[in-house]
């Protein structure tokens, strides 16, 4: 009796393995094909911010978000005047436009700050103190970003007090600077009293100018009412250039001796 052995089919396992591998490859292909869509969906859910070259994200495209950039006021550094650079060029340009020379060291806008030595002073803070000292509140108009509007900015002349300075000579230097731009050179004795002992017209202007300036103590960081004690490099004299020039424009120098001053007010003759 013959016994027949069942023949093996060696190709069957190979076919099965191929089917499994093909199935796995199809699954992997389906998964990989879906990944970009998922990534795009994830990216779409992220805030639509952009990034500039500096690496700082920009959020101006975010919905329902209002981005406001507050502009920083410039700082005018007195210590940079001795160097060739932006500050020196800026001050020379402003002085030329205004027609002044050595009567002030700096010309600063009302929304700027200035530095003397290690002290940085905000003109806004100085003006607020000065107004408060007179029982007044300084009004200022802001734009939508919260910064002060540049419309109507006032120019202030800053003179840094030096050794052997006194307030009278500081004011007289300012007055001479003004009249030089008018083509008139004041004599060195123009501020001295008349032979009768009465103040000259120039002297009256100088006395009145004391009521118009601000003396700021850099060390104490406060406006001072004492204009007679001047500390070298410790105080600055601040002029409202618009106000000073507006006053002087009204004075006919040919009739300067007819000015009247009572200690607080000055009367200008009209011709």
């Amino acid at each position: 009796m013959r016994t027949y052995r069942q023949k093996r089919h060696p190709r069957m396992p190979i076919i099965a393995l191929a089917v499994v591998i093909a199935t796995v490859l199809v699954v992997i292909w389906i998964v990989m094909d879906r990944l970009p869509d998922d990534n795009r969906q994830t990216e779409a859910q992220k805030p639509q911010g952009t990034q500039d070259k500096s690496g700082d994200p920009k959020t101006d495209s975010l919905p329902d978000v209002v981005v406001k950039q507050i502009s920083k006021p410039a700082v005018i550094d007195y210590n940079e005047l001795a160097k060739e650079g932006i500050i020196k060029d800026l001050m020379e340009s402003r002085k030329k436009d205004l027609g002044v020379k050595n009567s002030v060291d700096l010309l600063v806008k009302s929304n700027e700050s200035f530095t003397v030595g290690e002290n940085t002073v905000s003109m806004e803070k100085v003006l607020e103190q000065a107004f408060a000292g007179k029982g007044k509140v300084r009004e200022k108009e802001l734009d939508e970003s919260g910064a002060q509007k540049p419309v109507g900015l006032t120019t202030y002349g800053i003179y840094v007090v030096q050794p052997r300075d006194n307030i009278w000579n500081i004011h007289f230097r300012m007055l001479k600077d003004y009249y030089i731009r008018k083509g008139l050179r004041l004599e060195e004795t123009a501020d001295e009293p008349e032979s009768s002992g009465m103040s000259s017209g120039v002297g009256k202007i100088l006395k009145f100018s004391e009521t118009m300036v601000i003396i700021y103590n850099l060390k104490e960081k406060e406006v001072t009412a004492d204009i007679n004690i001047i500390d070298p490099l410790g105080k600055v004299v601040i002029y409202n250039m618009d106000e000073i020039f507006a006053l002087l424009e009204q004075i006919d120098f040919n009739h300067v001796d007819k000015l009247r001053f009572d200690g607080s007010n000055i009367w200008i003759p009209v011709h």
Side-chain angles (χ1 to χ4, degrees), residues 161-230:
V161 178
Q162 302 296 326
R164 296 182 296 277
D165 267 339
N166 63 69
I167 194 67
W168 187 269
N169 289 340
I170 292 172
H171 291 333
F172 192 25
R173 190 180 301 120
M174 167 63 73
L175 196 61
K176 287 189 288 186
D177 228 7
Y178 170 80
Y179 279 112
I180 285 177
R181 71 190 279 247
K182 293 291 187 179
L184 179 63
R185 187 173 297 275
L186 295 183
E187 296 180 3
E188 293 298 324
T189 58
D191 61 325
E192 295 182 1
E194 298 174 353
S195 57
S196 61
M198 299 292 292
S199 295
S200 65
V202 171
K204 292 172 184 176
I205 296 175
L206 295 178
K207 287 183 178 179
F208 180 69
S209 65
E210 293 180 356
T211 67
M212 301 176 67
V213 300
I214 300 172
I215 309 296
Y216 188 80
N217 189 319
L218 295 169
K219 297 177 181 178
E220 302 297 331
K221 299 185 183 302
E222 62 181 9
V223 173
T224 176
D226 191 346
I227 63 173
N228 296 313
I229 300 177
I230 302 294

Side-chain angles (χ1 to χ4, degrees), residues 47-95:
Q48 297 298 316
T50 59
Q51 192 167 4
D52 60 15
K53 294 181 180 180
S54 64
D56 297 329
K58 296 180 181 180
T59 58
D60 55 343
S61 60
L62 285 173
D64 301 325
V65 174
V66 178
V67 179
K68 296 180 179 179
Q69 183 178 5
I70 298 178
S71 57
K72 295 181 180 179
V75 177
I76 310 300
D77 195 342
Y78 170 78
N79 310 304
E80 295 292 321
L81 287 180
K83 307 174 184 178
E84 296 294 334
I86 296 176
I87 298 300
K88 183 177 180 180
D89 292 343
L90 177 62
M91 291 302 98
E92 289 179 353
S93 175
R94 288 185 178 181
K95 287 183 179 182

